[in-house]
Amino acid sequence: MDTDQASTRPQTVDGAINQRLFETSLDLILVVDRQGNLVRVSPSSQAILGRPHSAMNGRNAVDFLFADDLENTRNEMRLARRGNQMRNFQCRYVHKDGHPVPLVWTGVWSESEGQYFFIGRDMTEHSAQEERLRRAQRLDAVGQLTGGIAHDFNNLLAVMIGNLDMIMADTLVDKRTKDYAESALHAALRGAELTRQLLAFARRQSLKAERFDLNSRVAGTIDLLRRTLGETIEIKTVFAADLEDTFADQSQFDAALINLAINARDAMPAGGRLTIETENVMLDEYYCRANAEVVPGNYVMTAVSDTGMGMTPETLSRAFEPFFTTKPVGAGTGLGLSMVYGFARQSRGHIKIYSEHGHGTTVRLYLPRAPDSAAEADRITAAAQPEPRGGECVLVVEDNPDVRKVVVTQLKQLGYQTLEADNGQVALNILKHEATVDLVFSDMVMPGGISGAKLVMLARGQRPGIRILLTSGFAKGSVQGSEEIPPGVEFLSKPYRRAELAEKLRSVLDAKS
């Protein structure tokens, strides 16, 4: 009997270990029979596909596979069965909300058990990082080509402008010829302006970086902006009281601000609101991993927001490309955002666009903070303090599944319990049946007709004492969709660090009612 117990104990221990690995795996584990039926699905299916494993067990994998990848997956399964060896391949499964999830699979066929064993790693973030890197590399390549052409073209223009100037200054030349020369000179000078803009995109313009107060610089530009934008555009400013000095070229910053404001005006043909905000920002290594061209550090941020049409994903992906424009022919060169992009990069800064089609746009320009900032030591000390934690239950309301996944992970790391909703109506249903919710953390712009602002009103109607924290990629002082942030409701701007989220959550949860 002792021998039997000794022989069975390792199997029991191994079985417990395997079960624990299966239950806690971050990857998607599938056990599949010969016909493609899902015998077992790991609980990680909820985080990766938005589907509980109980809803997938017993069904055929075809019900969840992305249609275009079905034949290739079947072929891989046949090859695994014939060769009885490990197979590595890629195929996509369909998330509950309909979007395909890229997965890299490792699979093996067990003849003795008549089953496949697959482990799939979610490559969504990896694919997104690769796409961002390709986009940055493409812009750099275009910049190098553009800069070289602009430099050579400038030399040609210099010859043309010089000769035209001499013709116009020559007293022996008749008036008619001088008129022709003057017209040609205007065109050449316009060409010189275009090459200057191209050099700005290529980061080859001459910059005179110096320390300056960005708040004062923006304030000094407001009168010019009002004349430029017209009476149908309301201009609102939200200045950080403790804003640090920045280190950049002041005149180029003015030009960048005006370019952003003109773009915003053109997105609001019937009028609207332009909001300019300033803030001290620390871009950490986590943010920089998702934005390959950014160096971690302290920046002074200027956000320019409009209440206009917003951009489609296709437009957003090409926004910084030179000569790309959605304006009618003759209404713009397509170099405005390209210039701002080049200025930001050449200044060792960063630019980021957040836009929702039909809900407006926020462009954030990050410029380096001036060295030897007076408050830097205090800020470093504050950053070194441990993150405030909690055990309350937070309902995360976010329609973007990737963003929602990151937020939930961060909250769990901070000790909070979490519930999830992908729109306002689902959130209200959860609040109706889950008395344990202590705080609602909601995005502002969501599908389904219930925005973050409307959710505040409806949630407080159901639960008068519920704590609410809103977030958005739009700047705080701009209009969020069609509604303002309700008075007294706390707000956290995207992107934010985990430490900022932790501090804001505790601030809202600990505030007196």
Side-chain angles (χ1 to χ4, degrees):
M1 184 175 293
D2 291 340
T3 303
D4 291 340
Q5 288 177 345
S7 64
T8 58
R9 188 178 298 114
Q11 296 175 3
T12 303
V13 172
D14 288 347
I17 292 173
N18 289 338
Q19 179 64 23
R20 183 63 175 162
L21 290 172
F22 183 82
E23 292 175 349
T24 60
S25 173
L26 297 179
D27 294 328
L28 182 59
I29 303 177
L30 304 179
V31 180
V32 186
D33 69 14
R34 189 185 297 267
Q35 288 74 38
N37 297 311
L38 301 173
V39 179
R40 291 187 69 194
V41 179
S42 63
S44 55
S45 63
Q46 179 69 59
I48 296 174
L49 300 177
R51 303 175 188 272
H53 63 99
S54 58
M56 298 179 67
N57 283 329
R59 295 177 62 181
N60 196 281
V62 172
D63 296 340
F64 308 104
L65 270 165
F66 189 64
D68 292 351
D69 296 346
L70 178 58
E71 190 54 42
N72 178 61
T73 303
R74 283 174 169 164
N75 185 52
E76 290 290 345
M77 293 175 74
R78 294 188 196 102
L79 291 172
R81 195 164 62 245
R82 292 169 187 168
N84 193 28
Q85 61 184 3
M86 191 74 70
R87 301 290 303 178
N88 296 289
F89 63 99
Q90 297 184 29
C91 83
R92 291 163 289 183
Y93 269 53
V94 180
H95 193 277
K96 183 180 179 181
D97 66 11
H99 77 272
V101 178
L103 293 154
V104 172
W105 294 91
T106 300
V108 66
W109 165 256
S110 172
E111 186 65 39
S112 61
E113 298 182 62
Q115 293 176 335
Y116 298 92
F117 296 87
F118 292 115
I119 299 177
R121 175 148 295 179
D122 185 357
M123 301 299 287
T124 301
E125 182 55 32
H126 179 77
S127 299
Q129 287 181 358
E130 285 189 337
E131 176 55 31
R132 287 189 289 262
L133 181 59
R134 282 194 295 268
R135 192 177 300 165
Q137 290 173 336
R138 184 170 66 248
L139 285 173
D140 282 344
V142 172
Q144 291 179 15
L145 175 63
T146 302
I149 293 173
H151 180 270
D152 292 344
F153 192 55
N154 254 348
N155 291 333
L156 298 176
L157 287 171
V159 175
M160 295 166 61
I161 291 170
N163 280 285
L164 290 168
D165 275 335
M166 287 188 289
I167 291 174
M168 294 187 63
D170 194 334
T171 57
L172 300 178
V173 175
D174 61 86
K175 184 179 182 307
R176 185 178 181 184
T177 302
K178 285 188 176 183
D179 287 342
Y180 290 148
E182 183 177 11
S183 178
L185 180 61
H186 285 311
L189 291 173
R190 176 59 181 148
E193 174 62 20
L194 286 174
T195 58
R196 186 186 69 79
Q197 293 174 323
L198 288 171
L199 288 171
F201 167 71
R203 307 193 294 280
R204 296 188 184 183
Q205 60 184 335
S206 297
L207 294 181
K208 182 184 178 183
E210 55 190 328
R211 175 193 292 266
F212 68 94
D213 177 11
L214 194 141
N215 278 348
S216 299
R217 200 75 190 182
V218 173
T221 313
I222 295 301
D223 286 342
L224 173 61
L225 289 178
R226 285 199 173 97
R227 291 194 296 271
T228 303
L229 303 184
E231 295 180 354
T232 61
I233 305 295
E234 174 193 356
I235 299 178
K236 178 182 177 181
T237 56
V238 183
F239 293 147
D242 60 344
L243 196 70
E244 305 292 347
D245 287 344
T246 190
F247 192 74
D249 187 302
Q250 298 189 56
S251 61
Q252 291 300 322
F253 171 75
D254 292 346
L257 182 60
I258 291 169
N259 263 311
L260 294 177
I262 290 174
N263 270 1
R265 177 202 64 188
D266 293 343
M268 302 182 286
R273 177 187 294 173
L274 175 79
T275 305
I276 304 174
E277 300 182 51
T278 62
E279 186 180 355
N280 296 317
V281 173
M282 197 284 183
L283 299 181
D284 61 16
E285 59 184 88
Y286 299 103
Y287 180 86
C288 297
R289 285 176 191 170
N291 298 271
E293 76 282 4
V294 191
V295 176
N298 295 303
Y299 295 84
V300 180
M301 186 272 295
T302 307
V304 179
S305 305
D306 65 64
T307 57
M309 300 173 285
M311 301 184 192
T312 64
E314 294 74 22
T315 299
L316 188 58
S317 68
R318 301 186 61 192
F320 296 130
E321 293 181 12
F323 302 115
F324 175 76
T325 179
T326 57
K327 299 173 186 177
V329 176
T333 63
L335 288 172
L337 276 177
S338 300
M339 287 179 61
V340 182
Y341 171 85
F343 166 60
R345 293 293 305 279
Q346 192 174 353
S347 302
R348 300 179 183 272
H350 172 55
I351 184 170
K352 189 74 172 180
I353 303 176
Y354 182 88
S355 187
E356 297 252 3
H357 190 48
H359 294 286
T361 299
T362 289
V363 182
R364 288 185 172 89
L365 174 62
Y366 300 86
L367 294 174
R369 194 175 299 180
D372 302 321
S373 168
E376 192 61 24
D378 292 340
R379 203 172 301 280
I380 292 173
T381 301
Q385 298 299 316
E387 296 168 332
R389 303 170 66 85
E392 292 92 342
C393 181
V394 178
L395 171 58
V396 179
V397 191
E398 168 64 60
D399 61 293
N400 185 305
D402 297 325
V403 175
R404 191 170 64 248
K405 180 179 178 181
V406 171
V407 174
V408 168
T409 301
Q410 288 178 326
L411 290 174
K412 288 180 177 177
Q413 290 172 349
L414 291 167
Y416 293 96
Q417 303 170 55
T418 61
L419 294 170
E420 302 177 42
D422 57 7
N423 62 62
Q425 187 57 58
V426 172
L428 291 172
N429 291 338
I430 292 174
L431 286 174
K432 185 176 180 181
H433 297 99
E434 292 286 345
T436 58
V437 176
D438 299 293
L439 180 142
V440 177
F441 182 42
S442 175
D443 191 25
M444 278 295 299
V445 180
M446 294 184 293
I450 299 180
S451 66
K454 190 172 182 180
L455 179 60
V456 171
M457 178 185 68
L458 296 174
R460 285 180 170 171
Q462 287 186 192
R463 302 266 296 275
I466 193 74
R467 305 300 175 100
I468 298 176
L469 174 61
L470 294 177
T471 184
S472 177
F474 289 114
K476 180 180 179 181
S478 67
V479 172
Q480 313 297 315
S482 60
E483 300 174 81
E484 298 274 4
I485 298 173
V489 175
E490 291 291 333
F491 180 83
L492 183 62
S493 292
K494 298 177 184 177
Y496 47 79
R497 301 175 64 194
R498 194 180 79 166
E500 293 174 301
L501 173 60
E503 185 177 347
K504 184 66 80 171
L505 280 173
R506 287 271 36 108
S507 173
V508 175
L509 286 165
D510 296 339
K512 295 181 180 179
S513 300

